[in-house]
Amino acid sequence: MSKVLVTCGAGFIGSHLVDKLVEKGDEVIVMDSLEEQVHIKKANNLNPKAQYLFEDIIKRRRCFSQSCG
């Protein structure tokens, strides 16, 4: 079993990847910003066995590089 981070994992393609990884037995963490441009409707294809972080990875990266909490 591996721990896997999937970015953009709440979309159509990413959610299928998440499903396969969970099915394989991996611990899956998904990061997705749920931008309205991409997610016109509410994301309804989320795998309940995965952990989700709904935030922008670009903003998170800036935070890490500036050592903010």
Side-chain angles (χ1 to χ4, degrees):
M1 171 160 55
S2 299
K3 184 180 270 190
V4 181
L5 172 66
V6 178
T7 57
C8 304
F12 180 76
I13 295 170
S15 65
H16 284 84
L17 174 61
V18 170
D19 290 341
K20 291 293 182 187
L21 291 168
V22 167
E23 185 179 296
K24 188 178 113 179
D26 291 330
E27 181 181 347
V28 181
I29 302 168
V30 178
M31 184 177 278
D32 199 303
S33 65
L34 294 181
E35 284 189 28
E36 290 181 18
Q37 292 175 317
V38 178
H39 299 277
I40 298 168
K41 298 179 181 178
K42 181 184 175 205
N44 59 355
N45 49 351
L46 305 181
N47 190 310
K49 294 183 180 177
Q51 178 183 350
Y52 289 86
L53 303 170
F54 297 114
E55 55 187 283
D56 188 337
I57 195 168
I58 301 299
K59 290 178 185 173
R60 171 67 75 148
R61 183 172 163 247
R62 277 191 222 123
C63 184
F64 284 143
S65 67
Q66 296 173 2
S67 299
C68 58

